[in-house]
Amino acid sequence: MSEGPNIVRIAALIGDNARAEALSALMSGRALTATELADAASVTRQTMSSHLQKLLEAGLLKVSQQGRHRYFRLAGADVAYLIESMMGVAFHTTTQHPRTGPRDPALRKARICYDHLAGEMGVYVYQQMLEYGLLLQKDGALSITDQGREWFRQLGIDADEVAQSRRSFCRACLDWSERKDHLAGALGAALLSRILELGWARRVEDSRAIEFSAQGEASLRGLMRLRCTE
Amino acid sequence: MSEGPNIVRIAALIGDNARAEALSALMSGRALTATELADAASVTRQTMSSHLQKLLEAGLLKVSQQGRHRYFRLAGADVAYLIESMMGVAFHTTTQHPRTGPRDPALRKARICYDHLAGEMGVYVYQQMLEYGLLLQKDGALSITDQGREWFRQLGIDADEVAQSRRSFCRACLDWSERKDHLAGALGAALLSRILELGWARRVEDSRAIEFSAQGEASLRGLMRLRCTE
DNA sequence: CTCATGGTTCGGTCCTGATCGAATCAATCG
DNA sequence: CGATTGATTCGATCAGGACCGAACCATGAG
C-alpha cells in the first residue's frame, strides 16, 4: 500500500558511489564538466556520462553547453537541501567518521552549501541576524527588516535588488554539521558572494570549504557586533 | 576526492523498494511490526526482516519489543525530515504523477508528517501563527510568544509542559506538497495530537492522510481567526 | 586542414544484493 | 501441553546495474 511520492527513484539515484560523488561535488555550487565530475568520482568519462544522463533525466541536474563543454549543476535549491539533509543523517548515524581528514574541521567551520555559507560561521551569522531583528519570519517565509536592509547596505549588498531574483529570496537551511539553520536563498547567496568579494574568506581549491582569514572573520564578527549593540 | 559525510550509504538503503515502503509507512508516526511492514511493502516476512535489520544497524530505525511483537519506528525527526525532503524532490521532479489515486488530494490537504500536521492545513496553521506573532524566530530556533502560549492554552495545550520534552520544542519542516514550512517539533506534535483528541480530524486507516471534518476545519480556522483579529 | 580533447554510445562482463523456500526459534493462547 | 503466529536465519537463485574498452561524434586550437 503505497502513497505519496515515490522516494525510491530518487534515493536509488543518489545511492550509487559515482553519482553520490558527483552530487556532493556539485554542492560547491560550481558548475562542473562531465570530465571534472568523472575525475571527482574516480570513474571513466563514459561511466560518468551515463550517470549524468540519468541524473539529468531525473531532474536532479541541469546542464548548459558552452562549445564542447557541458556544464552540470544541481537543478535547484531543493536538491541541495535534500543532499544537505542526507549529509546530516549520514553524519549523525555514523558511529565513527572514517574520513576525518584535515578537511573535516574546515568543512564544519565554514563551507559552501550550494551557494550560501554553512557550518559554524553560517549558523552564527544567521543566529545573530535573527537575534537582533535583521531577519524576521513572516508569511511562512523569512523576510528582511528595515534594520536588516540597512545592515546589508552597509556590507555593500542591496537587498531590494537581490529580492528581484526569481528564486526564493530568503530561507533557512538545516546545517548538517551544526544541526541548526543557516541562511539560504538569494540573500544567503549574496552574502557569501560579498564575503568572498571583500576577501574576508576564500574558496579552498577542489573543496567545499570556505577559509576565513583571521582578519576577515574579525571583520564579519565586528560588523555583526556593531549592528547588534546599537 | 571525497569530503563530508558519505551520503551513498544512506541513499542506497532508502533506494530499495521494500525499504522505501517501510520508511514511508513509518512516516505516519506509528510504530509498526515487521509483519505489518512486510505487508505494506508486499514482501515476505523474511525479506522484511533482513531489510529492517539493515535499517536498524544504519541508525535509521529504532525498535522496541513487546512480547513477540517488535515495533519499529523512525529513529528520529531528522530521518523524517530527510524522507519529507526527498518526497518533495520526488514530487517536483516527476513529470506526471502515475499514482494520483483518490488519496493524493487527501495527502496534500492534510497528512501526518511523522508526528505533526503537514499539507495545506499544516502550512496554513504555521503561517497564521507566524503572521500574528504566536511563534517567533529566536536564537536560530522557533520559539513561542506569550500570545502563542495563551492561544495554545485556549486550545487545551500547556506549551510549557510540552517544552519539558527532551526533543526539539519547535521547528519548521519543509512540506513536500506545499513547498513551504509547517510546524514540527514537540509543539507541532502536541497540536496534531490535540486536534485528533478534539475530534476535529481523524486518522485515515492505513494512510498518512488526516481527514478534517467540515466542523473540525471550521473550528480550527475559527480559532485561528479569533486570535488573529484581536 | 589535422590533431587533441570533451563527451556520448554500444556491448560485454561481473559483482551485488534482493528475494523467497525451508527451517527454526520465541511468545502467546486455549 | 500443542497449536498458532511473530520473527529470524540460512542458502540458493537471478536480475539489475555499474563498469570500462572500443569506437565514434563534436568542438576548438594551431
Side-chain angles (χ1 to χ4, degrees):
Chain A
M1 196 271 330
S2 199
E3 60 175 14
N6 181 15
I7 59 173
V8 73
R9 176 174 65 95
I10 301 294
L13 283 170
I14 303 173
D16 165 71
N17 275 313
R19 290 197 291 271
E21 291 287 351
L23 289 166
S24 293
L26 293 170
M27 281 293 281
S28 70
R30 283 179 170 136
L32 300 173
T33 65
T35 301
E36 284 168 329
L37 289 168
D39 290 341
S42 306
V43 291
T44 62
R45 290 174 306 161
Q46 49 267 45
T47 299
M48 184 50 74
S49 183
S50 66
H51 285 310
L52 293 172
Q53 190 63 22
K54 284 174 180 164
L55 294 173
L56 271 177
E57 279 166 6
L60 296 187
L61 298 187
K62 59 187 180 184
V63 64
S64 54
Q65 184 126 3
Q66 285 172 232
R68 65 186 175 181
H69 294 275
R70 303 186 79 210
Y71 287 95
F72 295 89
R73 70 189 73 225
L74 295 184
D78 56 344
V79 179
Y81 198 70
L82 169 62
I83 303 295
E84 184 80 7
S85 180
M86 195 176 285
M87 282 177 175
V89 171
F91 184 69
H92 294 292
T93 55
T94 306
T95 52
Q96 56 181 355
H97 303 289
R99 249 191 329 240
T100 43
R103 278 185 177 163
D104 226 54
L107 280 177
R108 298 179 69 168
K109 177 72 189 256
R111 70 181 178 271
I112 298 190
C113 170
Y114 188 49
D115 62 358
H116 54 269
L117 185 63
E120 288 165 24
M121 291 302 293
V123 170
Y124 163 75
V125 169
Y126 182 61
Q127 282 184 7
Q128 295 295 95
M129 288 183 185
L130 285 171
E131 185 80 14
Y132 296 107
L134 306 186
L135 296 178
L136 174 71
Q137 272 278 9
K138 185 183 175 191
D139 198 21
L142 278 173
S143 63
I144 190 168
T145 60
D146 287 340
Q147 192 183 356
R149 214 165 256 115
E150 185 58 36
W151 186 86
F152 274 98
R153 183 162 31 231
Q154 193 164 11
L155 192 56
I157 295 170
D158 182 345
D160 291 322
E161 192 176 297
V162 170
Q164 301 305 319
S165 165
R166 73 199 161 199
R167 62 172 296 194
S168 169
F169 174 56
C170 187
R171 69 159 289 107
C173 178
L174 186 63
D175 196 281
W176 70 250
S177 55
E178 302 297 303
R179 262 184 172 173
K180 293 182 183 180
D181 288 333
H182 56 245
L183 178 64
L187 196 55
L191 178 61
L192 175 60
S193 183
R194 186 64 181 145
I195 284 171
L196 295 175
E197 209 169 76
L198 288 169
W200 288 355
R202 65 177 192 93
R203 298 183 71 140
V204 179
E205 188 71 29
D206 284 335
S207 174
R208 265 175 287 138
I210 294 286
E211 194 174 70
F212 275 84
S213 66
Q215 189 172 8
E217 184 168 343
S219 295
L220 183 60
R221 288 182 190 270
L223 192 61
M224 226 59 249
R225 254 188 307 255
L226 198 57
R227 281 297 99 188
C228 298
T229 51
E230 279 196 359
Chain B
M1 192 272 332
S2 198
E3 60 175 15
N6 181 15
I7 57 173
V8 73
R9 174 174 66 96
I10 300 295
L13 282 170
I14 303 171
D16 164 71
N17 274 313
R19 290 197 292 271
E21 291 288 350
L23 290 165
S24 294
L26 293 170
M27 283 293 284
S28 70
R30 282 180 172 137
L32 300 173
T33 64
T35 301
E36 284 169 329
L37 289 168
D39 290 341
S42 305
V43 292
T44 61
R45 291 176 304 167
Q46 49 267 44
T47 299
M48 185 50 74
S49 182
S50 65
H51 285 311
L52 293 172
Q53 189 63 23
K54 283 175 179 160
L55 295 173
L56 271 177
E57 279 165 7
L60 296 186
L61 297 188
K62 60 186 178 184
V63 65
S64 55
Q65 183 127 5
Q66 284 172 235
R68 66 187 176 180
H69 294 274
R70 304 186 78 215
Y71 287 96
F72 296 87
R73 68 189 76 226
L74 296 185
D78 58 342
V79 178
Y81 198 71
L82 169 61
I83 303 295
E84 183 79 6
S85 180
M86 193 175 287
M87 281 178 177
V89 170
F91 184 69
H92 294 290
T93 55
T94 305
T95 51
Q96 54 180 357
H97 302 292
R99 248 192 327 241
T100 41
R103 277 184 178 164
D104 226 54
L107 281 177
R108 299 179 69 169
K109 176 71 188 253
R111 71 179 179 271
I112 298 191
C113 171
Y114 189 48
D115 61 357
H116 55 270
L117 185 64
E120 288 166 24
M121 291 301 295
V123 169
Y124 162 75
V125 169
Y126 182 62
Q127 283 185 5
Q128 295 295 95
M129 288 183 186
L130 287 170
E131 183 80 17
Y132 297 106
L134 305 187
L135 298 178
L136 174 69
Q137 272 275 9
K138 185 184 176 190
D139 200 22
L142 277 173
S143 63
I144 190 168
T145 61
D146 288 340
Q147 193 184 355
R149 213 164 259 114
E150 185 58 36
W151 186 87
F152 274 97
R153 183 163 28 233
Q154 193 165 10
L155 192 57
I157 295 169
D158 183 343
D160 292 320
E161 193 176 295
V162 171
Q164 300 306 316
S165 166
R166 73 201 161 199
R167 62 170 298 192
S168 169
F169 175 56
C170 188
R171 68 161 290 107
C173 176
L174 186 63
D175 195 282
W176 70 251
S177 53
E178 302 297 301
R179 263 186 171 172
K180 294 182 182 178
D181 289 333
H182 56 245
L183 178 63
L187 196 55
L191 179 61
L192 175 59
S193 182
R194 185 65 181 143
I195 285 170
L196 295 175
E197 209 168 75
L198 289 169
W200 289 354
R202 65 175 192 94
R203 301 185 67 142
V204 179
E205 187 73 29
D206 287 334
S207 173
R208 266 176 285 136
I210 294 286
E211 192 176 72
F212 275 84
S213 66
Q215 187 172 10
E217 184 168 344
S219 295
L220 183 58
R221 289 183 190 267
L223 193 61
M224 227 58 252
R225 256 189 306 255
L226 198 58
R227 279 298 101 189
C228 299
T229 51
E230 280 197 358

